[in-house]
PDB file of all heavy atoms in Angstrom:
ATOM      1  N   VAL A 206     -23.500  31.578  13.098  1.00 98.00           N
ATOM      2  CA  VAL A 206     -22.937  30.728  12.029  1.00 98.00           C
ATOM      3  C   VAL A 206     -22.899  31.598  10.774  1.00 98.00           C
ATOM      4  O   VAL A 206     -23.938  32.099  10.310  1.00 98.00           O
ATOM      5  CB  VAL A 206     -23.815  29.485  11.781  1.00 98.00           C
ATOM      6  CG1 VAL A 206     -23.250  28.678  10.617  1.00 98.00           C
ATOM      7  CG2 VAL A 206     -23.872  28.638  13.066  1.00 98.00           C
ATOM      8  N   ARG A 207     -21.696  31.812  10.254  1.00 98.00           N
ATOM      9  CA  ARG A 207     -21.599  32.590   9.037  1.00 98.00           C
ATOM     10  C   ARG A 207     -21.251  31.689   7.862  1.00 98.00           C
ATOM     11  O   ARG A 207     -20.550  30.693   8.017  1.00 98.00           O
ATOM     12  CB  ARG A 207     -20.596  33.737   9.158  1.00 98.00           C
ATOM     13  CG  ARG A 207     -19.149  33.381   9.017  1.00 98.00           C
ATOM     14  CD  ARG A 207     -18.232  34.608   9.036  1.00 98.00           C
ATOM     15  NE  ARG A 207     -18.305  35.403   7.803  1.00 98.00           N
ATOM     16  CZ  ARG A 207     -17.509  36.444   7.535  1.00 98.00           C
ATOM     17  NH1 ARG A 207     -16.600  36.829   8.426  1.00 98.00           N
ATOM     18  NH2 ARG A 207     -17.616  37.100   6.409  1.00 98.00           N
ATOM     19  N   VAL A 208     -21.749  32.049   6.696  1.00 98.00           N
ATOM     20  CA  VAL A 208     -21.475  31.283   5.499  1.00 98.00           C
ATOM     21  C   VAL A 208     -20.311  31.939   4.786  1.00 98.00           C
ATOM     22  O   VAL A 208     -20.358  33.147   4.446  1.00 98.00           O
ATOM     23  CB  VAL A 208     -22.747  31.234   4.579  1.00 98.00           C
ATOM     24  CG1 VAL A 208     -22.426  30.417   3.311  1.00 98.00           C
ATOM     25  CG2 VAL A 208     -23.914  30.630   5.341  1.00 98.00           C
ATOM     26  N   GLU A 214     -18.661  27.280   3.023  1.00 98.00           N
ATOM     27  CA  GLU A 214     -18.674  26.525   4.254  1.00 98.00           C
ATOM     28  C   GLU A 214     -19.306  27.329   5.395  1.00 98.00           C
ATOM     29  O   GLU A 214     -19.254  28.552   5.411  1.00 98.00           O
ATOM     30  CB  GLU A 214     -17.228  26.168   4.664  1.00 98.00           C
ATOM     31  CG  GLU A 214     -16.559  25.182   3.742  1.00 98.00           C
ATOM     32  CD  GLU A 214     -15.087  24.980   4.093  1.00 98.00           C
ATOM     33  OE1 GLU A 214     -14.380  25.954   4.450  1.00 98.00           O
ATOM     34  OE2 GLU A 214     -14.643  23.839   3.991  1.00 98.00           O
ATOM     35  N   ARG A 215     -19.862  26.632   6.378  1.00 98.00           N
ATOM     36  CA  ARG A 215     -20.433  27.281   7.552  1.00 98.00           C
ATOM     37  C   ARG A 215     -19.398  27.242   8.673  1.00 98.00           C
ATOM     38  O   ARG A 215     -18.794  26.196   8.927  1.00 98.00           O
ATOM     39  CB  ARG A 215     -21.699  26.561   8.019  1.00 98.00           C
ATOM     40  CG  ARG A 215     -22.836  26.649   6.975  1.00 98.00           C
ATOM     41  CD  ARG A 215     -24.072  25.930   7.501  1.00 98.00           C
ATOM     42  NE  ARG A 215     -25.090  25.966   6.442  1.00 98.00           N
ATOM     43  CZ  ARG A 215     -26.323  25.537   6.635  1.00 98.00           C
ATOM     44  NH1 ARG A 215     -26.689  25.023   7.824  1.00 98.00           N
ATOM     45  NH2 ARG A 215     -27.199  25.594   5.666  1.00 98.00           N
ATOM     46  N   ALA A 216     -19.237  28.397   9.311  1.00 98.00           N
ATOM     47  CA  ALA A 216     -18.273  28.501  10.422  1.00 98.00           C
ATOM     48  C   ALA A 216     -18.983  28.912  11.695  1.00 98.00           C
ATOM     49  O   ALA A 216     -19.897  29.770  11.671  1.00 98.00           O
ATOM     50  CB  ALA A 216     -17.189  29.502  10.063  1.00 98.00           C
ATOM     51  N   PHE A 218     -19.048  31.135  14.221  1.00 97.00           N
ATOM     52  CA  PHE A 218     -18.421  32.452  14.243  1.00 97.00           C
ATOM     53  C   PHE A 218     -18.599  33.112  15.605  1.00 97.00           C
ATOM     54  O   PHE A 218     -19.245  34.162  15.700  1.00 97.00           O
ATOM     55  CB  PHE A 218     -18.966  33.276  13.088  1.00 97.00           C
ATOM     56  CG  PHE A 218     -18.159  34.500  12.741  1.00 97.00           C
ATOM     57  CD1 PHE A 218     -16.865  34.379  12.284  1.00 97.00           C
ATOM     58  CD2 PHE A 218     -18.697  35.758  12.847  1.00 97.00           C
ATOM     59  CE1 PHE A 218     -16.096  35.497  11.940  1.00 97.00           C
ATOM     60  CE2 PHE A 218     -17.968  36.896  12.500  1.00 97.00           C
ATOM     61  CZ  PHE A 218     -16.679  36.735  12.036  1.00 97.00           C
ATOM     62  N   ARG A 271     -12.238  34.539   8.360  1.00 98.00           N
ATOM     63  CA  ARG A 271     -13.651  34.237   8.301  1.00 98.00           C
ATOM     64  C   ARG A 271     -13.932  32.803   8.730  1.00 98.00           C
ATOM     65  O   ARG A 271     -15.079  32.388   8.815  1.00 98.00           O
ATOM     66  CB  ARG A 271     -14.159  34.458   6.864  1.00 98.00           C
ATOM     67  CG  ARG A 271     -13.890  35.909   6.435  1.00 98.00           C
ATOM     68  CD  ARG A 271     -14.287  36.186   5.009  1.00 98.00           C
ATOM     69  NE  ARG A 271     -13.395  35.557   4.043  1.00 98.00           N
ATOM     70  CZ  ARG A 271     -13.292  35.954   2.786  1.00 98.00           C
ATOM     71  NH1 ARG A 271     -14.043  36.940   2.341  1.00 98.00           N
ATOM     72  NH2 ARG A 271     -12.451  35.342   1.968  1.00 98.00           N
ATOM     73  N   ASP A 298     -15.743  41.481   4.201  1.00 97.00           N
ATOM     74  CA  ASP A 298     -17.123  41.700   3.815  1.00 97.00           C
ATOM     75  C   ASP A 298     -18.005  41.637   5.055  1.00 97.00           C
ATOM     76  O   ASP A 298     -17.547  41.258   6.136  1.00 97.00           O
ATOM     77  CB  ASP A 298     -17.532  40.590   2.826  1.00 97.00           C
ATOM     78  CG  ASP A 298     -17.117  39.224   3.304  1.00 97.00           C
ATOM     79  OD1 ASP A 298     -16.045  39.134   3.963  1.00 97.00           O
ATOM     80  OD2 ASP A 298     -17.832  38.266   3.078  1.00 97.00           O
ATOM     81  N   PRO A 300     -20.552  39.811   7.208  1.00 98.00           N
ATOM     82  CA  PRO A 300     -20.947  38.374   7.288  1.00 98.00           C
ATOM     83  C   PRO A 300     -22.439  38.180   6.952  1.00 98.00           C
ATOM     84  O   PRO A 300     -23.272  39.066   7.185  1.00 98.00           O
ATOM     85  CB  PRO A 300     -20.651  38.015   8.747  1.00 98.00           C
ATOM     86  CG  PRO A 300     -19.587  38.934   9.174  1.00 98.00           C
ATOM     87  CD  PRO A 300     -19.885  40.245   8.460  1.00 98.00           C
ATOM     88  N   VAL A 301     -22.702  36.990   6.452  1.00 98.00           N
ATOM     89  CA  VAL A 301     -24.074  36.587   6.137  1.00 98.00           C
ATOM     90  C   VAL A 301     -24.357  35.265   6.835  1.00 98.00           C
ATOM     91  O   VAL A 301     -23.513  34.351   6.822  1.00 98.00           O
ATOM     92  CB  VAL A 301     -24.208  36.450   4.591  1.00 98.00           C
ATOM     93  CG1 VAL A 301     -25.611  35.892   4.240  1.00 98.00           C
ATOM     94  CG2 VAL A 301     -23.960  37.764   3.899  1.00 98.00           C
TER      95      VAL A 301
END
Side-chain angles (χ1 to χ4, degrees):
V206 177
R207 79 175 287 187
V208 180
E214 292 173 320
R215 295 180 184 186
F218 197 62
R271 301 177 288 200
D298 46 327
V301 175

